[in-house]
Amino acid sequence: ADGGRNLSLESVPMGLPMSDPSAWSTAMNNLGMAPMGMTGQPLLPDFDPALGMMTGIPPINPMMPGLGIVPPPIPPDMPAAKEIIHCKSCTLFPPNPHLPPPATRERPPGCKTVFVGGLPENGTEQIIMEVFEQCGEVIAIRKSKKNFCHIRFAEEFMVDKALYLSGYRIRLGSSTDKKDTGRLHVDFAQARDDLYEWECKQRMLAREERHRRRLEEERFRPPSPPPVVHYSDHECSIVAEKLKDDTKFLEAIQTLLTWIERGEVNRRTANNFYSMIQSANSHVRRLVNEKAAHEKEMEEAKEKFKLALSGILVQFEQIVAVYHSASKQKAWDHFTKAQRKNISVWCKQAEEIRNIHNDELMGIRREEEMEMSDEEIEDPPEMKETEESALVSQVEALKEENDSLRWQLDAYRNEVELLKQEQGKASRDEDTTKEQQMKLLQQALQGMQKHLLKVQEEYKKREAELEKVREDKLKIETLLENLKEQESGTSRVCACSQEKEGPVEKTSSNSPVKSEREVLLVGIISTFLHVHPFGASIEYICSYLQRLDSKICTAEVEVLMTRLQNTFRQELSGVGASLEKRWKFCGFDGLKMT
């Protein structure tokens, strides 16, 4: 805030305040842009482009020495305007004020290191030091080859000053080459050294806090009692004098007790100690009298309190009677709704306070009755001296009877309470046992129901399986009957055909071809092998035949060809591992032989 005040005061005589449009025009001219305002309107129509940074009058900015890094206070309805920053070897141009502020990561504890990205490719550590040393003392710079670096400052507040430069465009000298320009991005960085220093600082603060608390506790601690002096004849005479004084009796009796506990009593000092004990005993009567006086004062105060409380109760009764009479219909109808509500609330409050005071007064009276039952009314001292010998025995007898009756009453009360507790426990135990039995029975019933449901499901499944088995059995029996009928019919037909065609079968049974299907196969195989004069393997022949009928198998074809030795001949071709069996057609040669 102080820096802002200095800034506003020093900017007046120079004629170039923070919001002067000429500074913004100069910045846009240096960037090679036409000087335009925030709203797109041209600024300074007669502005000379030859001017600019060569005038030697740099604009005031918050990075100038002596002004501090904190910008001046800006109204909340206006955007924060940053200005151009001139350095020896570079120039920093502010970002567009209408853009949102650059994003930053969460600040690590004790952060003194910042990450700076977007540096020009030709930027050196000297230029970085020149820009950021205005924020504060720089301890170290770690520059990377990829246009970024890490800067560590001496204090934490310097990091906030460095973050002010985030978003600025940097230009080295007056060059407009890409390698000499860049847009700075400043963000918090997490460093081990910062974290270590922060933890050390926290530990130091914790130690200081503990030390401060210890001092405070010692200050509020009550002082220790002074040490008791050692026994001597001189000290013994002083303590004996103090024992006779009522004001110093407490200090003296403490010293006497300490000496006795230390073992200072012996044959030589026994008489001195006995005299001091006798002096201490003389204070017993004084203490009894003081107690009696205090009790008398307490009784008088109780009487006064009881009288005052009874007077207060009478007044409360009168106030409550007023409220009740006001709530009757004769007067109640004339009050407004708010007045009635207030009267009813006041009446309830007065009744509650009256009941509390009444209970308190009744409690005082009960205590007095209990005290009267426990103690006997004392007579004046003159009457005691005359009647003491006659009433001692009666008083003791009455006390004993009273004590015995009280003890009997307490015993009866305890027995009644024990019986009630036992009955309550028994009823609770019975209830708990009944509840447990009911729960067990319910669980058993639920288990039985689940088991019955499972059994019923299994029974239904078994019945369905039995029905399926019966149906299958009936189907099998019908099939067997049909097969038996077919076998009997075929046997009869065969018998008749054997009788009629007996000689034909005898002649045909000698032929190797047994059916018309085999005849067809022989014809097709013969035609196939005739086309292949060098022979073919049985797999090749079967693959050709399976194109015509997929039910043909290799074993059937091979058996048929082996039976017809005069039509088909098997030969071995090849040597070693390439040895292969081939079938050839030899029907023309076999016709000559047969």
Side-chain angles (χ1 to χ4, degrees), residues 492-503 505:
R492 290 172 186 172
V493 172
C494 290
C496 294
S497 61
Q498 284 177 2
E499 291 176 357
K500 293 178 181 180
E501 300 176 0
E505 284 182 1

Side-chain angles (χ1 to χ4, degrees), residues 409-426 428:
L409 183 62
D410 293 337
Y412 289 144
R413 284 178 182 171
N414 293 330
E415 287 178 2
V416 170
E417 288 179 357
L418 289 171
L419 288 171
K420 286 181 180 179
Q421 290 177 359
E422 288 176 358
Q423 287 178 359
K425 287 181 181 177
R428 289 174 189 169

Side-chain angles (χ1 to χ4, degrees), residues 136-193:
E137 182 184 353
V138 177
I139 294 177
I141 297 177
R142 295 190 294 275
K143 188 177 182 302
S144 175
K145 296 178 182 179
K146 296 183 179 181
N147 303 334
F148 70 89
C149 69
H150 288 85
I151 303 173
R152 189 163 189 261
F153 293 98
E155 298 295 337
E156 293 183 26
F157 69 91
M158 300 174 183
V159 173
D160 300 324
K161 295 183 179 182
L163 287 174
Y164 181 82
L165 298 176
S166 185
Y168 269 78
R169 287 186 61 83
I170 183 170
R171 190 176 71 182
L172 305 181
S174 59
S175 174
T176 58
D177 192 6
K178 286 186 178 180
K179 293 184 178 181
D180 295 333
T181 60
R183 185 179 294 277
L184 297 179
H185 174 69
V186 186
D187 198 354
F188 299 109
Q190 192 167 4
R192 295 180 186 174
D193 298 339

